[in-house]
Amino acid sequence: ASIAGYRYTHPLALRTHIEPRQTNNPVTAAAWGIGETRDFILQFYLTISRMVQGRLSYKNMMGPVGIFNAGRHFADKGLDWLIWFLAMISANLAVVNFLPIPIVDGGLFAFLIVEKLQGRPLSAKTQSIAQFVGLAIILSVFLLVTYQDIARMF
């Protein structure tokens, strides 16, 4: 007798497991916040690394429309969830701002490193071209993720 055609089903009532952390000690609370922020930042760098390696699709990114929709869902869960989500977004924006893309602060930092190594700044023309390329990269990513966000809605 074959059992290949049989299927066991059981209706499981799965829901989000919530384990609130509470403390009256501000030092403990600050340590938890620092740890969460570190985890957000490391996760974002890991995500970028996996996207560059091709192990993670760019379709997982969200733009302003997707962030707004996700924010609505977190707001529906409660104020603590919304604050957690906003903290994650802030950490992610900090990472993006420090990427070595010429139009953001990380690009300026890269220019300063090149200036230190060369002993002189890059030419104004080179900096302008790099700024234009950086702006084109950011606008392209912005348009791509916004398109994906809108397409996901339908």
XYZ file of all heavy atoms in Angstrom, residues 47-48 50-52 54-63 66-67 140-141 143-153:
235
model
N 22.703 42.445 3.705
C 21.756 42.448 2.587
C 22.408 43.014 1.331
O 22.274 42.446 0.235
C 20.504 43.269 2.958
O 19.890 42.667 4.109
C 19.510 43.303 1.816
N 23.129 44.115 1.465
C 23.828 44.703 0.310
C 24.843 43.715 -0.245
O 24.925 43.518 -1.463
C 24.511 46.028 0.698
C 23.465 47.105 0.982
C 25.450 46.500 -0.407
C 24.037 48.383 1.553
N 24.829 40.438 -0.068
C 24.142 39.345 -0.760
C 23.557 39.787 -2.092
O 23.503 39.007 -3.039
C 23.053 38.769 0.140
C 23.621 37.969 1.295
C 22.555 37.420 2.187
N 23.154 36.628 3.259
C 22.512 36.242 4.331
N 21.240 36.570 4.508
N 23.133 35.543 5.251
N 23.118 41.037 -2.182
C 22.602 41.536 -3.463
C 23.726 41.652 -4.487
O 23.544 41.288 -5.644
C 21.903 42.887 -3.262
C 20.567 42.750 -2.566
S 19.795 44.326 -2.193
C 19.524 44.952 -3.824
N 24.902 42.130 -4.068
C 26.053 42.244 -4.967
C 26.493 40.859 -5.435
O 26.849 40.673 -6.600
C 27.209 43.001 -4.273
C 28.494 42.888 -5.067
C 26.833 44.460 -4.055
N 24.578 38.384 -5.844
C 23.509 37.764 -6.618
C 22.723 36.727 -5.831
O 21.908 36.001 -6.400
N 22.948 36.633 -4.538
C 22.239 35.654 -3.702
C 20.901 36.179 -3.214
O 20.109 35.424 -2.653
C 23.111 35.263 -2.512
C 24.356 34.519 -2.925
C 25.333 34.232 -1.800
N 24.710 33.969 -0.521
C 25.320 34.149 0.638
N 26.551 34.599 0.673
N 24.700 33.878 1.776
N 20.656 37.475 -3.398
C 19.415 38.098 -2.965
C 18.951 39.035 -4.076
O 19.748 39.800 -4.615
C 19.642 38.876 -1.666
C 18.434 39.509 -1.006
C 17.449 38.428 -0.544
C 18.866 40.333 0.189
N 17.689 38.962 -4.422
C 17.158 39.759 -5.517
C 16.942 41.207 -5.106
O 16.545 41.499 -3.978
C 15.827 39.168 -5.991
O 15.222 40.011 -6.939
N 17.186 42.094 -6.049
C 16.921 43.512 -5.821
C 15.419 43.754 -5.623
O 15.018 44.790 -5.107
C 17.427 44.350 -6.994
C 16.691 44.089 -8.281
C 15.569 44.835 -8.619
C 17.100 43.103 -9.159
C 14.871 44.590 -9.788
C 16.422 42.848 -10.329
C 15.309 43.602 -10.638
O 14.618 43.354 -11.797
N 14.603 42.785 -5.983
C 13.157 42.934 -5.834
C 12.732 42.965 -4.365
O 11.594 43.277 -4.061
C 12.432 41.820 -6.575
C 12.603 41.928 -8.078
C 11.860 40.844 -8.811
C 12.059 41.042 -10.310
N 11.319 40.065 -11.076
N 13.646 42.637 -3.465
C 13.343 42.695 -2.036
C 13.463 44.105 -1.474
O 13.110 44.328 -0.319
C 14.264 41.754 -1.255
C 13.969 40.310 -1.553
O 12.830 39.892 -1.536
N 14.994 39.545 -1.852
N 13.982 45.036 -2.274
C 14.132 46.407 -1.783
C 12.788 47.124 -1.795
O 11.897 46.784 -2.569
C 15.117 47.187 -2.668
C 16.529 46.691 -2.585
S 17.739 47.796 -3.336
C 17.126 48.020 -4.984
N 12.675 48.117 -0.921
C 11.471 48.948 -0.861
C 11.875 50.397 -1.027
O 12.905 50.814 -0.513
C 10.773 48.805 0.487
C 9.817 47.673 0.585
S 8.778 47.843 2.043
C 9.738 46.975 3.237
N 11.027 51.130 -1.711
C 11.207 52.567 -1.836
C 10.229 53.281 -0.937
O 9.634 52.681 -0.027
N 6.713 51.621 -0.642
C 6.751 50.394 0.148
C 7.007 50.665 1.618
O 6.419 50.021 2.495
N 7.876 51.628 1.901
C 8.156 51.985 3.295
C 6.903 52.562 3.948
O 6.581 52.239 5.093
C 9.340 52.966 3.376
C 10.633 52.253 2.959
C 9.474 53.552 4.781
C 11.809 53.187 2.751
N 18.250 56.235 -10.234
C 17.882 54.967 -10.879
C 17.336 53.976 -9.857
O 16.312 53.327 -10.092
C 19.092 54.355 -11.586
O 19.544 55.192 -12.616
N 18.019 53.852 -8.731
C 17.546 52.943 -7.681
C 16.190 53.414 -7.156
O 15.275 52.610 -6.948
C 18.589 52.825 -6.540
C 18.019 52.086 -5.341
C 19.842 52.132 -7.044
N 13.866 55.139 -8.731
C 12.814 54.841 -9.712
C 12.505 53.346 -9.759
O 11.337 52.955 -9.838
C 13.217 55.358 -11.094
C 13.250 56.873 -11.244
C 13.832 57.270 -12.607
C 11.871 57.476 -11.060
N 13.541 52.516 -9.693
C 13.347 51.062 -9.719
C 12.515 50.595 -8.531
O 11.528 49.874 -8.702
C 14.696 50.345 -9.727
C 14.644 48.822 -9.581
C 14.044 48.188 -10.824
C 16.026 48.267 -9.308
N 12.889 51.016 -7.331
C 12.171 50.535 -6.154
C 10.765 51.128 -6.079
O 9.842 50.457 -5.607
C 12.952 50.773 -4.842
C 14.236 49.967 -4.841
C 13.230 52.235 -4.595
N 10.587 52.347 -6.541
C 9.241 52.932 -6.554
C 8.352 52.179 -7.535
O 7.194 51.879 -7.226
C 9.300 54.431 -6.906
O 10.118 55.099 -5.935
C 7.921 55.049 -6.902
N 8.889 51.835 -8.694
C 8.136 51.040 -9.667
C 7.739 49.696 -9.058
O 6.595 49.261 -9.164
C 8.961 50.831 -10.940
C 8.340 49.841 -11.880
C 7.259 50.200 -12.686
C 8.797 48.533 -11.951
C 6.660 49.283 -13.540
C 8.218 47.606 -12.791
C 7.153 47.990 -13.579
O 6.571 47.068 -14.418
N 8.700 49.035 -8.392
C 8.411 47.737 -7.765
C 7.356 47.862 -6.679
O 6.484 47.004 -6.555
C 9.677 47.151 -7.151
C 10.638 46.631 -8.150
C 11.915 46.126 -7.517
O 12.770 45.697 -8.214
N 12.069 46.170 -6.213
N 7.456 48.925 -5.886
C 6.459 49.139 -4.824
C 5.061 49.261 -5.401
O 4.110 48.667 -4.893
C 6.776 50.423 -4.036
C 8.004 50.294 -3.173
O 8.450 49.160 -2.916
O 8.532 51.352 -2.750
N 4.926 50.036 -6.454
C 3.615 50.238 -7.083
C 3.140 48.942 -7.727
O 1.971 48.573 -7.605
C 3.678 51.398 -8.092
C 3.916 52.722 -7.319
C 2.393 51.485 -8.904
C 4.246 53.897 -8.204
N 4.039 48.216 -8.392
C 3.667 46.953 -9.039
C 3.202 45.915 -8.005
O 2.308 45.134 -8.273
C 4.848 46.409 -9.835
N 3.831 45.912 -6.821
C 3.444 44.976 -5.749
C 2.054 45.245 -5.239
O 1.392 44.365 -4.710
C 4.421 45.065 -4.591
C 5.512 44.041 -4.626
C 6.275 44.055 -3.324
N 7.096 45.254 -3.208
C 8.416 45.251 -3.204
N 9.074 44.140 -3.263
N 9.081 46.373 -3.125
N 1.604 46.485 -5.360
C 0.282 46.843 -4.849
C -0.833 46.255 -5.718
O -1.969 46.130 -5.258
C 0.153 48.371 -4.774
C 1.044 48.997 -3.718
S 1.125 50.788 -3.798
C -0.565 51.226 -3.423
